[in-house]
Amino acid sequence: MSEPVRIAASWYDGHSARRHEGALHWDGGDSFVLDDGYGGRESIALNDLRAIDRQRDATVYSRTSMADFRLTLPKDLPAGFARNLPSSGNYGAWIDRHGLLKMSAVFAVVSAAAVALFLTAPEWLGPRIPESWERRMGDAMVGDFGGRVCHSQFGDEALAKLVAKVDPAREKVRVGVANIDMINAVALPGGHVLIFDGLIQQAESPEEIAGVLAHEIGHVRERHVMTAMLRQFGLSILASGFNSGFAEGAFGIATLGYSRDAEREADDYARARMRVADISPLGAAGFFDRMSRQYGDGEDQPAMTGWIATHPASGERARAYRDSAGRNAYPPVLSEQEFGALKTMCEEDENVEEFEFF
């Protein structure tokens, strides 16, 4: 009968902090025997050991039946002995089983599929979100916009008149003027539109504001809003809501971006609505001409922070609105007094909060 194979070993028995020194024996059977050299012997089934750590000159094993047990054996073992020990993985069970190259290819495919799903999901999911859900989300997000929505008697009346002409639908889009000095307007979930006071102050006619308002209403009516939010903020927004501070939320919605196709679709909607409502598109054309001269007109140039930066080139839009005019005589959409009331409504509102940029 051949001599048992004997390997120097050290171990912790899982019951105490004492480190044991001795040898691991194997006589060809289905168990190892630990021997501390002082009469202490313990039998361990071959299939009870599992490799848990690779060190420079040793491998550490634990026991399935005893989680705190640790056995350290030298790295270089006789071939016959080593075959009975569990192998220690280099990367993890799946990778070690199938090979690094093959699993790298699988992970690359899965990652590409995940990215593709994330990028395309908003396009088909956004329009399918029930309008009742979207309205509740919009009500929770907007409210009075942190007390920054302006109100005055004549300003509110002028705004309501403008909305009624641009969007005479039975279920009105809810439009407010936000006390924020940015040339911006944004459509939000649930049929909300905010026009920032900076845009109103920059406008030279109520027809300019009507063109911008009609565009944002186009995003609402074409169900672009949830698609853009899902794309920009990720699907988690549906579960977590807007939990950040007001400043972060304001900047998030102010830079809400749509695809160029969605922008052009909203512009098409705006021009069609203005034609039906007998509102001159020349005001909007003048607005975009001025933006083009002031901020640049490159297709890929982020001309400014705000509404203009996320839209198609201003010169292109000005031409499209000018070409849709058809004739030169249109009735004014608001009187001079009503337009003035829009201009001064934030100034006249003594209770409105001011937005401070940080």
Side-chain angles (χ1 to χ4, degrees), residues 62-84:
S62 70
R63 294 178 64 175
T64 302
S65 62
M66 192 179 297
D68 295 327
F69 177 89
R70 294 294 182 270
L71 169 67
T72 302
L73 298 177
K75 184 177 180 181
D76 296 324
L77 298 171
F81 194 99
R83 280 196 297 269
N84 293 282

Side-chain angles (χ1 to χ4, degrees), residues 236-251:
S236 61
I237 192 171
L238 292 177
S240 62
F242 268 64
N243 295 323
S244 57
F246 173 80
E248 183 178 344
F251 275 113

Side-chain angles (χ1 to χ4, degrees), residues 13-37:
D13 59 17
H15 301 292
S16 70
R18 178 171 169 247
R19 185 171 186 266
H20 300 269
E21 299 280 351
L24 185 70
H25 299 264
W26 179 60
D27 60 5
D30 58 3
S31 297
F32 295 111
V33 175
L34 279 176
D35 184 356
D36 64 6

Side-chain angles (χ1 to χ4, degrees), residues 117-169:
L117 177 62
F118 181 80
L119 292 176
T120 59
E123 302 297 330
W124 56 264
L125 180 59
R128 289 170 172 80
I129 291 176
E131 292 189 19
S132 59
W133 293 12
E134 183 179 343
R135 182 170 289 271
R136 284 196 293 270
M137 179 181 292
D139 292 344
M141 285 176 57
V142 181
D144 63 354
F145 208 55
R148 294 163 176 84
V149 175
C150 306
H151 294 284
S152 71
Q153 179 183 345
F154 297 114
D156 288 343
E157 291 175 359
L159 183 61
K161 180 179 178 180
L162 185 62
V163 173
K165 286 189 175 182
V166 173
D167 185 52

